[in-house]
Amino acid sequence: MNQQQRSAPHDDLFKAIRLTGNWQVYSIPLDQLFSPNDTPLTTTQSLYNVPECAHLQTALYPDRPYWGNHLRKINEQAWIYHRTFQKPEGPYKRVRLRFEGVDYFAEVWVNDVFVGQHEGHFAPFDFDITAILDDLEAGDEVVITVRVTSPWDAPNPSGTYPSDHIVRHLVKGLYEHGEGVIPPNVNPLGIWRPVWLLLDQGISIDHMRIRTELNGHVDVRLRVHNSTSQPWQGQLQLQVSAHNHDGEGVTKHLDIEVPPSTHTIDHTLQIPDVRLWWPWDQGLPNLYQLDATLSNQDQAPTAHKRAKFGVRTVHLERTPQRFTYWINERPVYIRGISYIPSLYLSECTEATLSRDLALAKDANLNLLRVHVHVSPSELYDLCDEAGMLVWQDFELNWIHDSSLAFEQRARDLQHDMIGMLQNHASIMTWACHNEPTMVLMRRQNLEYHPDPALYADAQQQDPTRPVFICSGQIEEDWQRSGDSHSYYGAIWSSRYTDVYKHYPLINTEFGVETPAALETLRAYPDTWQRLDHLDEPTIDSIWAYQAVLTQYHVEHFRRLRSLSCAGYIHFWLADLVPQVGCGVLDAHRIPKGGYDALRRASQPLHIALEHDGRQPKALWIFNDTQQAYQDVTIRWQIKDQHGQTRHEGETSFYIQANASQEVMPVQWPIARRNCAEIRLSVHTADGDLLCENDYKRPFQPLKRPRGYPWKFNRYLGTKVFDRDDAPSLTNETVNPLVKLLPLRLREPLAELMLRQQLPLKFISWVAQVVDFVTGVKKTAPTQYKNRGAS
């Protein structure tokens, strides 16, 4: 196989060889014990050549990667990856085999010797293979064999599709996420990031942790490993330099001794005249670079580690009445959106990630919620550079195994996530679990395992950031969470204006599913066969509904900044597949109706009308910038259905910096049926336009699309709106008592249950009673067994 010598990421003082070229891949039964000696490569019936960084679904079925049983069958097997390389020439004392990412379980052999295993799709891992290579001559062939699996969970006999028809046993968010996010037969599998040989002199800097204070203090912790049998003596140089600005840096030299094994080294640096990192709408995202270099007693560099970081602090002020995020001791209002860059992360490139980041920034958003997964490392680097905040979810979504064994697996992987990402200035919050109470009476994850342990671990590992034990419908638990998901006008109720009576502390999900553009749908036969009832006028009307729902929710949450709310996170930036989803962009990045509405409503300086869908209440100014505006003129104009002006006026106002303000209550002398359009604008004393806004028939709100949210297609795993032959999603329940109810009662009852607005203590008590009656144990044994090396 090809070998490519070049520097490994952030480390350029030892020899790194990237193993390029295809893998040879074949399948075996999932439950078959495996050893390379038992299944010679020459005896396999179907041998595939797979690119070095690709999920197997995209490699085997590049034209059909989204739907179908052919995808499900991939995960019903184990896949054996095989490649060779030549033993590299020295001099070196240690050789490690590093995998940047394998999805999901990996067991590794080198020259038929089992060297180790790993769980999790996102964390790099390595194995010391020095002893194996020491028995070979330079240029001899070395064989790598990797058994890769990402198995399906067993069906849950008492569950309901798509929320708990399975109980999840993988610490992985990117599978079985129904209702327009991840199709039902997609569970990515494969070696999807590069593989390296790392050659060194037995000493390495394996990890670097950086914490900063606003006065320029930089606390550095290094994890250094000495794989030799003798103490290593030399010098450590720590050098901080400006990365994207012209500020000063600092350099320190320390004489050190590292005994055999792994050790930590702590030191504090002081940056003079420090430049702070800010989100893009608050200032400049100033970054520094820290280089840590170990040099031996002959002054020869031996090991090196590099990391970029920003000097900034983040704090979430939490009370039962109000949440406020503080960045660098300044209140910052969150205008965010949820994001997964691709259904298969192996398809992400720096160019595609940059494109999406630009689309989010163009929509005036200052935060990405990296939803239920860890993204490729390039995304976090780009967010650091762009000044885009990141809310980082862990890999748990909906209902998981509640055993202690699963809890430990999850804790290990969350520790890996925080350790990998904590130097990124852009990351401002960790969230341990998304919607663990998606099913109202299933609370074992939240109340027993694994969520309390994950929350405690995250707080201990990184006390510099806020931690949420979970997201969604846990507003009463404001100390550990306190956020809300609000799907009024979507899956919760028929009117989007119902959110008017909701006062969240922070909202981390809202939105509505809409179809992709007609040209996108028609390009995929699997989609078009099931969505061909959606003509262009129908799609336009659904997009219009997404637009008004989005605008109404955003302006409602921004108004609540003055009372309680720290911000909002829309669900979702871009659909992962070309069908029906919550994205304001479709999978081809064609803007839907919600994108422009989100962009306009999220302007840092914005004027809005408060109304409840029936009558006007007040005019508001939202200013998330640090600039105040004196003597501005606010104007309004109301037109009837014939385009005639029925009422207009203006007033002077002082706009405060970084605040939401009520300008004035309004009681306009015009009947709601004659209010066809309202135009608002803000002008400087010189007459320059600062911002503007408009509303079409605000007191005659659009109705929720026909057939939504209950008409459903199981093959696509998504809503299909008003299709005659589509069943109701409420038919997916296995509870015979529920099925006795007529459909016209069952659907509104389901919407009521999804809102989960009963008192938390009552829900918890009822859930405990249900657990007792049904015999559910707090520490139910895990159903998953990984069968690998014999």
Side-chain angles (χ1 to χ4, degrees):
M1 291 293 177
N2 295 332
Q3 298 174 204
Q4 185 180 76
Q5 293 189 24
R6 71 177 185 87
S7 298
H10 313 304
D11 206 336
D12 58 8
L13 293 180
F14 59 77
K15 190 175 182 180
I17 302 173
R18 178 169 168 175
L19 303 181
T20 61
N22 293 342
W23 289 87
Q24 292 180 296
V25 180
Y26 61 93
S27 65
I28 62 172
L30 186 62
D31 59 355
Q32 176 181 313
L33 296 178
F34 173 77
S35 170
N37 290 323
D38 297 338
T39 312
L41 192 66
T42 56
T43 66
T44 59
Q45 295 180 348
S46 298
L47 191 63
Y48 304 95
N49 287 316
V50 174
E52 62 161 320
C53 296
H55 280 99
L56 205 54
Q57 288 87 346
T58 62
L60 299 184
Y61 301 105
D63 299 325
R64 295 185 294 155
Y66 301 135
W67 310 280
N69 286 330
H70 60 286
L71 300 176
R72 179 161 288 270
K73 290 178 181 178
I74 289 176
N75 303 86
E76 294 171 349
Q77 304 168 82
W79 293 86
I80 310 304
Y81 282 69
H82 176 94
R83 74 180 313 137
T84 62
F85 66 91
Q86 292 180 335
K87 177 184 175 179
E89 297 182 357
Y92 59 81
K93 293 183 179 179
R94 179 174 59 159
V95 181
R96 287 172 289 167
L97 177 64
R98 171 166 294 176
F99 294 82
E100 283 194 25
V102 180
D103 195 350
Y104 172 79
F105 290 103
E107 296 152 285
V108 182
W109 292 258
V110 176
N111 280 3
D112 298 342
V113 177
F114 183 69
V115 296
Q117 59 188 351
H118 182 265
E119 174 181 3
H121 78 90
F122 63 84
F125 58 97
D126 56 62
F127 305 111
D128 189 328
I129 60 172
T130 309
I132 298 173
L133 268 60
D134 281 348
D135 293 335
L136 305 176
E137 300 293 333
D140 282 356
E141 186 175 79
V142 185
V143 179
I144 302 175
T145 306
V146 188
R147 179 183 183 270
V148 182
T149 60
S150 187
W152 294 110
D153 293 308
N156 176 21
S158 61
T160 298
Y161 185 87
S163 52
D164 70 334
H165 66 295
I166 59 167
V167 175
R168 294 163 176 260
H169 291 82
L170 302 185
V171 186
K172 174 180 177 177
L174 294 182
Y175 78 114
E176 285 285 347
H177 196 326
E179 298 196 271
V181 180
I182 297 175
N185 290 321
V186 171
N187 181 356
L189 179 152
I191 301 177
W192 69 280
R193 296 283 284 185
V195 180
W196 300 82
L197 293 178
L198 307 181
L199 286 63
D200 60 41
Q201 297 303 310
I203 187 82
S204 59
I205 303 172
D206 292 340
H207 189 260
M208 179 188 295
R209 190 197 72 190
I210 304 169
R211 292 179 178 170
T212 63
E213 299 176 25
L214 300 185
N215 61 8
H217 284 320
V218 180
D219 292 323
V220 181
R221 170 168 289 182
L222 303 179
R223 186 171 72 239
V224 179
H225 183 75
N226 178 1
S227 67
T228 72
S229 60
Q230 301 297 320
W232 182 91
Q233 293 180 332
Q235 189 176 77
L236 169 64
Q237 176 181 287
L238 298 173
Q239 182 177 21
V240 174
S241 56
H243 170 71
N244 57 358
H245 56 92
D246 59 0
E248 297 182 60
V250 62
T251 301
K252 283 288 185 72
H253 295 85
L254 306 170
D255 292 325
I256 64 169
E257 179 177 289
V258 182
S261 191
T262 300
H263 305 272
T264 59
I265 300 173
D266 293 296
H267 193 72
T268 299
L269 302 169
Q270 176 67 51
I271 301 176
D273 191 23
V274 66
R275 309 280 182 91
L276 301 183
W277 184 95
W278 291 99
W280 68 265
D281 59 338
Q282 299 292 317
L284 296 176
N286 295 305
L287 292 170
Y288 290 88
Q289 179 174 291
L290 174 60
D291 288 276
T293 305
L294 293 175
S295 300
N296 62 25
Q297 293 178 318
D298 296 328
Q299 305 300 311
T302 305
H304 176 259
K305 197 75 171 177
R306 172 177 294 168
K308 287 186 292 186
F309 68 96
V311 178
R312 69 102 184 90
T313 59
V314 58
H315 168 66
L316 176 57
E317 182 181 349
R318 278 173 157 138
T319 74
Q321 294 78 34
R322 176 193 288 270
F323 276 16
T324 304
Y325 267 103
W326 297 76
I327 306 293
N328 300 337
E329 301 180 357
R330 176 191 298 172
V332 173
Y333 190 73
I334 301 305
R335 307 185 308 276
I337 199 159
S338 293
Y339 177 61
I340 296 177
S342 177
L343 184 62
Y344 300 103
L345 297 179
S346 55
E347 296 187 321
C348 296
T349 66
E350 188 168 336
T352 61
L353 295 169
S354 295
R355 171 204 62 194
D356 288 350
L357 193 58
L359 287 165
K361 191 172 179 180
D362 183 64
N364 294 306
L365 304 172
N366 61 9
L367 177 140
L368 293 180
R369 177 188 174 195
V370 180
H371 184 64
V372 299
H373 81 291
V374 177
S375 258
S377 59
E378 293 84 356
L379 175 66
Y380 304 98
D381 292 334
L382 290 168
C383 288
D384 289 343
E385 298 274 359
M388 182 67 73
L389 294 166
V390 171
W391 169 298
Q392 180 61 54
D393 282 356
F394 185 45
E395 295 268 349
L396 302 188
N397 180 61
W398 295 350
I399 311 303
H400 279 266
D401 181 355
S402 58
S403 70
L404 284 169
F406 178 82
E407 178 180 289
Q408 187 57 57
R409 291 165 52 207
R411 290 171 70 176
D412 290 344
L413 283 169
Q414 182 181 265
H415 193 276
D416 286 346
M417 177 189 76
I418 295 175
M420 285 172 53
L421 300 179
Q422 62 185 340
N423 291 337
H424 288 281
S426 55
I427 296 178
M428 46 79 79
T429 290
W430 308 112
C432 301
H433 194 157
N434 179 62
E435 297 183 339
T437 59
M438 179 69 175
V439 180
L440 185 61
M441 297 307 169
R442 293 189 68 102
R443 305 184 67 83
Q444 297 95 335
N445 290 154
L446 178 62
E447 298 186 3
Y448 306 131
H449 307 288
D451 295 357
L454 294 176
Y455 177 72
D457 282 2
Q459 285 188 309
Q460 181 179 26
Q461 187 177 359
D462 184 8
T464 70
R465 292 177 173 91
V467 178
F468 281 63
I469 189 172
C470 70
S471 62
Q473 310 326 108
I474 190 168
E475 295 174 66
E476 290 183 50
D477 189 355
W478 57 270
Q479 297 98 331
R480 298 187 304 168
S481 182
D483 80 322
S484 67
H485 294 174
S486 302
Y487 285 100
Y488 294 103
I491 61 174
W492 279 14
S493 72
S494 60
R495 299 178 299 182
Y496 60 82
T497 54
D498 289 342
V499 78
Y500 185 74
K501 297 180 181 180
H502 184 210
Y503 291 75
L505 299 170
I506 184 171
N507 187 282
T508 55
E509 283 191 24
F510 67 97
V512 62
E513 292 103 321
T514 54
L518 190 61
E519 62 197 83
T520 302
L521 297 178
R522 285 176 170 168
Y524 296 87
D526 274 337
T527 300
W528 188 238
Q529 177 184 344
R530 294 159 179 85
L531 297 174
D532 59 4
H533 60 293
L534 299 176
D535 56 18
E536 191 164 1
T538 302
I539 292 176
D540 287 345
S541 68
I542 298 173
W543 283 11
Y545 183 79
Q546 183 191 47
V548 295
L549 180 148
T550 299
Q551 179 179 0
Y552 192 86
H553 278 68
V554 169
E555 293 178 349
H556 173 68
F557 298 136
R558 295 191 72 176
R559 179 173 58 83
L560 294 182
R561 180 184 186 183
S562 65
L563 300 174
S564 61
C565 187
Y568 60 87
I569 302 175
H570 183 275
F571 196 85
W572 170 275
L573 180 62
D575 294 336
L576 299 181
V577 289
Q579 51 180 35
V580 173
C582 282
V584 292
L585 305 166
D586 77 7
H588 290 180
R589 274 37 179 191
I590 296 175
K592 305 182 193 177
Y595 181 77
D596 189 59
L598 182 65
R599 181 184 59 80
R600 289 185 291 108
S602 299
Q603 295 176 92
L605 180 64
H606 186 58
I607 183 170
L609 172 68
E610 176 188 353
H611 69 94
D612 62 0
R614 294 180 294 275
Q615 58 186 354
K617 301 290 187 178
L619 292 181
W620 284 77
I621 284 285
F622 312 133
N623 183 12
D624 294 343
T625 76
Q626 295 306 301
Q627 182 178 351
Y629 297 87
Q630 297 185 2
D631 299 326
V632 303
T633 299
I634 296 175
R635 297 173 182 159
W636 58 90
Q637 183 183 42
I638 304 173
K639 294 187 176 184
D640 62 19
Q641 59 270 34
H642 304 295
Q644 299 298 312
T645 299
R646 301 293 295 268
H647 180 70
E648 60 185 343
E650 63 179 48
T651 188
S652 297
F653 195 70
Y654 171 71
I655 302 177
Q656 299 176 18
N658 212 9
S660 293
Q661 299 169 267
E662 181 180 335
V663 177
M664 56 184 288
V666 294
Q667 290 182 328
W668 291 322
I670 182 172
R672 53 185 284 188
R673 65 180 180 277
N674 293 325
C675 185
E677 182 178 11
I678 297 175
R679 293 182 178 179
L680 307 175
S681 60
V682 181
H683 304 262
T684 66
D686 296 329
D688 296 330
L689 179 67
L690 289 173
C691 61
E692 59 185 343
N693 197 2
D694 66 88
Y695 301 85
K696 300 291 192 297
R697 299 189 180 277
F699 311 129
Q700 300 174 56
L702 294 179
K703 296 181 180 180
R704 190 169 65 175
R706 287 175 57 86
Y708 176 89
W710 297 112
K711 292 283 184 102
F712 190 78
N713 183 271
R714 186 73 178 265
Y715 180 84
L716 297 179
T718 191
K719 315 291 173 58
V720 294
F721 303 96
D722 195 23
R723 187 179 181 100
D724 292 337
D725 59 352
S728 172
L729 189 55
T730 60
N731 290 331
E732 297 291 334
T733 182
V734 298
N735 191 319
L737 294 179
V738 173
K739 287 188 174 181
L740 291 177
L741 293 174
L743 195 61
R744 60 184 178 84
L745 296 178
R746 200 186 314 159
E747 291 178 347
L749 178 62
E751 293 181 17
L752 179 64
M753 296 294 286
L754 285 170
R755 289 200 285 275
Q756 299 192 12
Q757 293 179 340
L758 296 171
L760 187 61
K761 290 183 179 179
F762 175 76
I763 296 175
S764 180
W765 176 80
V766 173
Q768 291 179 43
V769 172
V770 171
D771 287 349
F772 177 79
V773 171
T774 58
V776 174
K777 298 180 179 179
K778 295 180 182 179
T779 56
T782 182
Q783 299 176 22
Y784 175 77
K785 292 183 179 180
N786 183 29
R787 300 189 178 185
S790 57

